[in-house]
Amino acid sequence: MSKEYLYIGHYIDVNNKYVLKVGTTDNPKRRQKQHNRYYPNADKHPMKQGTTFQYDWKHKLSHANTLKYETLIKEDIKAAEVAEYVAHDRFVFEKKPDKIYLQIRKTWEVEL
């Protein structure tokens, strides 16, 4: 059974808002390059010039579990109503949160 990464990452948009991304990938370096090519030209909340997408946390899980936990994390953030949800699994915060908590078998505290 192949393993994939569940990840939390971020970038700063053109209005200096903190954009948190929840996603999955089998190749973090390739995926980071894709984000750095796509988000500067995104329709909503494009990346600020001179900045890059950065990973804050990643954890290797089975493919099925990455999808399951990705969905649960997104639902939890939406339910908390602490950020605006936008396309491509992004959450826009007015200011950078200090940390978030993820529940995956145990509680993970992710410093942002």
Side-chain angles (χ1 to χ4, degrees), residues 8-10 18 20 22 56-57 73 76-77 80 82-83 91 93 95-103 107-112:
I8 304 292
H10 76 276
Y18 187 87
L20 185 80
V22 179
D56 297 301
W57 175 88
I73 291 167
D76 286 349
I77 297 172
V82 294
F91 294 90
F93 290 81
K95 65 177 193 160
K96 177 183 178 268
D98 293 329
K99 58 182 91 172
I100 62 170
Y101 296 91
L102 311 173
Q103 185 69 38
T107 300
W108 295 82
E109 180 179 276
V110 180
E111 298 281 335
L112 301 175

Side-chain angles (χ1 to χ4, degrees), residues 29-66:
K29 286 185 182 183
R30 176 184 45 83
R31 191 69 180 129
Q32 186 176 30
K33 287 178 185 177
Q34 290 171 338
H35 290 324
N36 284 324
R37 279 193 306 268
Y38 175 77
Y39 287 130
N41 303 311
D43 291 336
K44 291 186 177 181
H45 302 283
M47 186 186 301
K48 185 176 186 175
Q49 187 175 3
T51 64
T52 59
F53 176 85
Q54 300 292 318
Y55 289 112
D56 297 301
W57 175 88
K58 56 186 177 240
H59 189 68
K60 214 170 201 184
L61 299 164
S62 71
H63 174 71
N65 279 335
T66 59

Side-chain angles (χ1 to χ4, degrees), residues 63-74:
H63 174 71
N65 279 335
T66 59
L67 297 177
K68 176 177 94 174
Y69 288 117
E70 177 187 27
T71 299
L72 291 172
I73 291 167
K74 290 186 294 190

